[in-house]
Amino acid sequence: MIEAPTSLAAPPARGQAPPPVRQRTGRFVVLAAVFVCAACGLVYELELVALASYLIGDSVTQASVVLSVMVFAMGVGSLLAKRLRYRAAVGFGLVEAALALVGGCSALALYATFAWLGESRYALVAFSLGIGVLIGAEIPLLMTLIQRISRRAEQDAGGTVADLFAADYVGALIGGLAFPFLLLPWLGQLTSALLTGAVNAVAGGAMVLWLFGRDLTPRGRWLLIAANVLVLGVLATAAVLVDDFEQAARRAVYGERVRVAVQTEVQEVVLTGARGEPPDLFLDGRLRVSGRDEHLYHQALVHPAMRGPHARVLVLGGGDGLAVREVLRYDDVESVTVVDLDEGVVRLARTDPELSTLNGRAYTDPRVRVVYADAFRWLREAAGRPEPPGRAPVPGRAEPVVRAEPATGRYDVVISDLPDPGITASTKLYAQEFYGLAARVLAGGGRLAVHAGPMASRPRTYWTVDATLRAAGFGTRPYCATGRASGFADGPDRSTGGSTTPHDWGLVLARPGATPPELALPADVPALRSLAPAVLAASAERAERTRLPGLAPSTLVHPRYGG
């Protein structure tokens, strides 16, 4: 193939040095570089989607933005690569160095804009565009390089394209699997991006310098070496400082009183507040519990549902133990089953001094049993199976007793203490099918209490939950609780202890059948700090004033939340 001479590439054709390896070996090395670079490219893409979903919320929207922008940018990159085809070797090396730097630092940059600027949407689009352009430039340049190293490529262009795309797609497969199963759980989002960038730089630079180094002018060779050394130096420095960066960013988000910060297999869990004070609990950047007013929410969620038989109670979510605390205030409760996905939250609720004090050390009560499972899947498996006998917790154990098998029977009360339906991962837990499964484990005359998101700020979401419950065969009674902070924001909550502006928690009390349940407190209700019959009646009237009629229910195949 003929290349135009430039200041960075050696003279073409006759001036090119023969490859340092046999054609078959050289072809294999180029395809191996394609494989590695494709794996790295997909890791960058998944990093952007995962971090954007965590920082911004609504994973469907963020995935759509990242994928559409990157695919468009890849087309732009392919067109721009035409300008580099006469200097393909040094061009590819510099493209990979730039991709390693931009992709490797993308997670850090997104987290920094979120922590210090409070907005990462524009950074997300910018990095998606930049990474996409650089990825799009790879294949045209690699096609040029493989033609230079193999006569067969010139004779069988179609076969060469097939080989390149096969290596590219297989590399994407490996990168796609490595990210959730290897990189993310072992290294976390920031370090895994930095490591991926380093691998990307080494693979691209080593291939060019080994196979085509003798074709480069001294200036081009040293430029490529300097670029890769600089990129690796930046990535290594960032990796060394990543813990300090994360702590500084966390303080910017949560304030100076971060006391516990752990990454469980499910989410990031942060506790803030001084020793001896009620803590604030954040899950994936969202305020889940405000220690100063959580009782307003949990009392309103639990106690109206306890009017009537309540010997056996099922709590879906609520790993913090606060809803369980309210349930256990009734002496005639015989058993409480908690189904929560995150073992780390339950462990923290049991062992952290402030959080365990706040929940009244609920997990030390022998009536409480815990299942670590997805609530939807557990309900699906639970219907129709008898409850196996359980064991009382062993005193002094670090963990509550955990039963992996479903506990079914019939529950008098089901408390759905789950995250906001506006968070995409929670949408299926507010679907008509989910409530149908909940109805199957309810005893005759049983009650279901549902957290349905903020009513005043997101009335469409709230009333869609109500419509979905009614479509599943429940009679419903909408009401709400008012507090300092809603605690279930559908996007990241950057406040350093919660806003002082009053917000509400939208709640729905439901029972099977067309007749709505009575919204009242049990006759044997314990003394409550803030809940009274008049407060409940007023909250129901306030809810009715926001009613949006005619909303369709949300189903698994047609989710209607997020707005």
Side-chain angles (χ1 to χ4, degrees):
M1 183 171 181
I2 299 176
E3 292 196 3
T6 70
S7 60
L8 298 180
R14 296 178 185 175
Q16 291 176 355
V21 296
R22 291 183 300 177
Q23 289 186 10
R24 176 175 293 184
T25 303
R27 187 182 182 88
F28 174 81
V29 171
V30 174
L31 293 177
V34 174
F35 172 88
V36 174
C37 293
C40 294
L42 195 64
V43 169
Y44 300 142
E45 185 175 325
L46 295 175
E47 284 278 2
L48 290 177
V49 172
L51 197 57
S53 300
Y54 162 47
L55 298 178
I56 303 173
D58 190 358
S59 58
V60 172
T61 299
Q62 308 318 319
S64 300
V65 169
V66 171
L67 294 177
S68 58
V69 171
M70 286 191 72
V71 170
F72 164 76
M74 287 167 64
V76 174
S78 295
L79 292 175
L80 295 177
K82 293 167 63 176
R83 297 176 175 271
L84 298 175
R85 60 194 177 98
Y86 296 119
R87 58 191 79 176
V90 72
F92 178 77
L94 293 176
V95 163
E96 291 308 300
L99 180 59
L101 181 63
V102 175
C105 295
S106 59
L108 282 170
L110 282 179
Y111 198 30
T113 57
F114 166 72
W116 283 284
L117 301 180
E119 177 60 71
S120 54
R121 288 179 174 85
Y122 299 113
L124 174 68
V125 173
F127 276 98
S128 299
L129 188 64
I131 292 173
V133 167
L134 294 169
I135 291 176
E138 289 178 333
I139 292 296
L141 296 176
L142 285 165
M143 185 66 187
T144 301
L145 293 178
I146 204 169
Q147 286 179 321
R148 282 178 49 176
I149 205 168
S150 173
R151 292 193 182 96
R152 176 191 162 198
E154 298 178 1
Q155 299 168 357
D156 184 14
T160 300
V161 171
D163 290 343
L164 283 173
F165 278 100
D168 186 76
Y169 294 150
V170 174
L173 170 66
I174 299 302
L177 295 177
F179 176 71
F181 297 114
L182 182 64
L183 295 174
L184 194 56
W186 285 13
L187 300 176
Q189 290 174 326
L190 304 184
T191 304
S192 61
L194 295 170
L195 177 63
T196 302
V199 171
N200 199 163
V202 170
M207 187 271 287
V208 171
L209 292 172
W210 182 25
L211 295 185
F212 306 99
R214 289 181 290 181
D215 292 344
L216 302 177
T217 63
R219 179 187 172 190
R221 187 181 302 110
W222 284 110
L223 176 62
L224 188 56
I225 292 173
N228 279 276
V229 169
L230 177 63
V231 168
L232 291 173
V234 170
L235 296 176
T237 302
V240 171
L241 299 176
V242 71
D243 289 338
D244 294 335
F245 168 84
E246 193 169 354
Q247 291 176 10
R250 189 176 287 126
R251 287 194 297 269
V253 175
Y254 302 110
E256 296 294 331
R257 301 195 302 166
V258 175
R259 190 164 50 78
V260 177
V262 295
Q263 180 68 49
T264 71
E265 294 183 357
V266 179
Q267 59 201 335
E268 182 189 51
V269 182
V270 174
L271 278 178
T272 66
R275 290 286 184 182
E277 294 183 358
D280 289 347
L281 172 65
F282 292 81
L283 302 180
D284 273 350
R286 297 173 177 88
L287 180 62
R288 183 65 169 82
V289 170
S290 172
R292 285 173 285 178
D293 69 351
E294 55 77 23
H295 65 280
L296 299 172
Y297 163 74
H298 289 102
Q299 290 180 5
L301 174 69
V302 171
H303 291 286
M306 301 295 282
R307 180 180 172 85
H310 48 247
R312 300 186 62 213
V313 179
L314 172 64
V315 178
L316 303 175
D320 49 50
L322 298 169
V324 179
R325 175 199 65 198
E326 297 300 321
V327 171
L328 293 176
R329 296 177 72 174
Y330 296 85
D331 294 334
D332 53 347
V333 169
E334 297 175 1
S335 68
V336 182
T337 301
V338 180
V339 180
D340 197 276
L341 184 61
D342 195 347
E343 182 177 353
V345 171
V346 176
R347 183 184 301 114
L348 195 63
R350 179 180 174 85
T351 60
D352 181 77
E354 277 66 42
L355 187 55
S356 63
T357 298
L358 190 64
N359 65 36
R361 294 177 174 80
Y363 287 115
T364 63
D365 194 302
R367 294 173 290 175
V368 178
R369 309 184 189 279
V370 181
V371 179
Y372 298 129
D374 173 78
F376 192 104
R377 181 176 180 179
W378 187 86
L379 281 177
R380 187 174 183 179
E381 295 175 352
R385 295 187 186 179
E387 180 179 8
R391 298 184 289 113
V394 178
R397 283 184 58 143
E399 287 296 315
V401 173
V402 178
R403 296 184 307 177
E405 61 271 14
T408 60
R410 294 289 174 177
Y411 294 95
D412 300 305
V413 179
V414 176
I415 306 294
S416 182
D417 186 17
L418 296 165
D420 194 304
I423 302 171
T424 306
S426 301
T427 299
K428 72 174 183 178
L429 304 179
Y430 290 84
Q432 182 177 336
E433 293 86 346
F434 180 79
Y435 295 129
L437 294 173
R440 293 169 61 185
V441 301
L442 270 174
R447 282 85 58 211
L448 169 65
V450 177
H451 161 248
M455 181 184 63
S457 59
R458 300 184 64 207
R460 178 169 292 275
T461 293
Y462 174 81
W463 289 106
T464 297
V465 174
D466 179 77
T468 303
L469 281 163
R470 287 187 281 107
F474 285 91
T476 62
R477 184 71 67 183
Y479 67 111
C480 66
T482 302
R484 178 182 58 85
S486 66
F488 292 91
D490 62 323
D493 187 337
R494 299 185 66 254
S495 63
T496 59
S499 169
T500 57
T501 303
H503 294 287
D504 70 89
W505 296 275
L507 306 170
V508 180
L509 181 63
R511 72 177 181 184
T515 305
E518 181 182 1
L519 185 63
L521 295 175
D524 58 342
V525 64
L528 302 177
R529 294 168 59 185
S530 57
L531 195 60
V535 173
L536 276 179
S539 73
E541 293 177 2
R542 187 162 57 251
E544 286 299 329
R545 288 197 294 267
T546 69
R547 179 179 289 275
L548 299 176
L551 296 178
S554 181
T555 66
L556 291 179
V557 296
H558 198 157
R560 299 180 185 275
Y561 301 111

